[in-house]
Amino acid sequence: MFESFQHLATGFGIATTIQNLLYCLIGAIVGTLVGVLPGLGPIAGIALLIPATFGLNPTSAIIMLAGIYYGAMYGGSTTSILLNVPGETASVITCIDGYQMAQKGRAGPALAMCAIGSFIAGSIGIFGLVFLAPPLAEAALAFGPPEYFSLMVFAFIVLSNVTGTSLVKSLMMAVIGLIIGTIGLDPVTGDARFTFGSIPLLSGIEFVAVAIGLFGIGEVLTNVNQPLEMLEQKVLIPRLRELYPSFQDLKRSIGAILRGAGIGFGVGLVPGPAPVIATYASYMTERKISKHPEEFGKGAIEGVAGPESANNSACQSAFIPLFVLGIPFAPPTAILLGALLIHGVSPGPLMISNHPQLFWGVIASMYIGNFILLILNLPFVPLFANILRIPKKILLPLVILFCITGMFTVNNSVFDIWIMLLFGGLGFLMRKWAFEGAPLLLALVLGPKLEVAFRQSLMISHGNFGVFINRPISMAFLIGMLLFLILPIFWKLFKKTEKGGGGSSKQ
Amino acid sequence: MIFLFGAITALLSLKMPIGTFRMAGTGMFPLCLGILLMILSGIFVLNIFSKGKKNRVKKGSSIESSSPIQSVLFLVTMVLITLLFNPLGYPLSAFLLMAVLLRVLGAKKWTTTLPLSFVTAAICYFLFVQWLKIPLPKGWIGL
């Protein structure tokens, strides 16, 4: 434990250099903007900023990109509370009580509790990360190709189970992502696959193009169909002196913040859209244990403080599987994995020992970033809220322009813009037909790793599939996967029989 | 359509060396994925049929609830600008993209659209080309 503190102190030394502080600040501001602006989520935000990090060292680059991720969680709450429009999906639940508080003239305390709760939970999440990551990394050294394969399959199944409306639809998206990931050179033999003689396709499909297409262009194309007046309504902007919560507000919120931090941290370690699940779980918990459950939905401050704390904590703990196993469990961390690979850093159990500066520097920067966000979000909330006054008909073309510019700068290639547009159109259709983009993106990023693990496992076992069951860790992941597949079916059957039983007793 | 995508993947994979499970060839993994996708899309279709006509009608109506004309116009504009990106150059492409998209979104007066597009393109040009030194296409205007 003492060693972790020593490393963290070194990390603070790295994170507090003028250069890294500046990138942390830029990341936090851009993240808050991304969170505030509907139509641009953290995934597209991070993907768009990756080209801007090409000239930086890996530590500064990841400090900035990580700042966008957790900054978006702070910013997302602003639109939820002031406009009843979530800036990103993790803020949907904040709309319920946050907007009600704003309607009662208590937007200030709601925004302040979001910022304070996010800061406390973010800090708790970081300390969890500091103490859990090193021992987990040591344990992960025991992982071989079969364990990695089973873990990745487990991640796909869990993610597919918790995203979207149908498991089959999400699994289809994951398989399509894996197929797209096979385009380019075979990672084992180096032979070309599905390139049809195209030279740009030899290096595979650029994941940044897919991310910006699905989550940036796709979102804009969906937005242009909605009534433009939606965002041009009157924004309730609180004054600075109205922002400070009363002692009563703090007293009511502190329990919710701590519980939210705990829930968020746990959820972040499991595959899936952690911040979204964490906010729902926290809201349900708060409503269940509250002495005044009737206030929920009518402006209960616990209904704002708990979920906002949970999404920030989940954000921090989501870095554990990324850094320790090299396997992202959610799309934003999948984009960060791509960014790490672009900068020549391969995360995994050896990352802490091979790249200690990056690991501890990024962790320390998260703490600093959370503090910056607390400072930014309290006094500058009116300023960020004013951004919402930019008419949507100006904002949407601007996002498109940034997407095209950002995409070109990745490889200075118009081909990447074509790929982005293709996935933009696909993203639009997927939204229309309720297909989830998250499993596709995660599968695309993890596809080559999954294939290598699959082929190496079979090579080790001389073609025997028993290798995935004979090794205890691998078997544990496969059992977990089966449970995730089977339990919902049993639950449905149980509910059906219960309903049927209830119905017959009534008769 | 998804079934077809799976089938094409599987067929194309068969043209590559498949190998054995012990020493998998280039085509083995995509072949497995293609077959898996075909199976999943089969399950999906069966699910739709088993849910019955009622749900299908309900789902169909939600898809047709909003007209995608503006989205299509947005996408067509982006395609045209991408085609002309290299010959026109970045500043002119950015200007045209903004102007057309603003019109698509309902900006009626050219007196507002043109200056707004010009200012946006100019800011982006100075930000990306002059300040960040990103090599964006110069096009025939040479900027």
Side-chain angles (χ1 to χ4, degrees), chain A residues 1 27 51 89 96 123 213 229 255 327 336 345 361 368 377 382:
Chain A
M1 194 184 262
T89 43
I96 303 173
S123 307
E229 297 75 32
I327 295 172
L336 284 171
V345 178
I368 295 166
N377 275 266

Side-chain angles (χ1 to χ4, degrees), chain A residues 15-76:
Chain A
T16 47
T17 60
I18 298 288
Q19 190 197 13
N20 286 339
L21 276 176
L22 179 71
Y23 288 118
C24 188
L25 178 71
I26 294 172
I29 293 174
V30 174
T32 309
L33 285 175
V34 160
V36 167
L37 296 173
L40 200 61
I43 302 168
I46 297 169
L48 268 172
L49 262 283
I50 287 178
T53 67
F54 286 166
L56 308 180
N57 64 62
T59 309
S60 305
I62 302 303
I63 282 176
M64 188 170 102
L65 297 175
I68 298 174
Y69 181 29
Y70 53 78
M73 297 299 138
Y74 275 78

Side-chain angles (χ1 to χ4, degrees), chain A residues 327-409:
Chain A
I327 295 172
F329 282 168
T333 43
I335 294 287
L336 284 171
L337 170 69
L340 281 165
L341 294 175
I342 287 173
H343 283 276
V345 178
S346 187
L350 295 173
M351 185 180 160
I352 302 177
S353 50
N354 288 351
H355 301 279
Q357 286 206 322
L358 191 148
F359 180 79
W360 295 106
V362 170
I363 288 182
S365 83
M366 286 183 191
Y367 197 82
I368 295 166
N370 267 289
F371 189 67
I372 290 173
L373 284 163
L374 181 71
I375 298 170
L376 273 180
N377 275 266
L378 277 179
F380 294 115
V381 153
L383 185 78
F384 282 115
N386 265 317
I387 292 162
L388 294 169
R389 287 186 168 152
I390 299 174
K392 206 176 171 186
K393 54 186 156 201
I394 295 175
L395 199 66
L396 296 179
L398 259 180
V399 173
I400 295 285
L401 180 59
F402 282 135
C403 286
I404 290 181
T405 314
M407 196 59 251
F408 183 82
T409 54

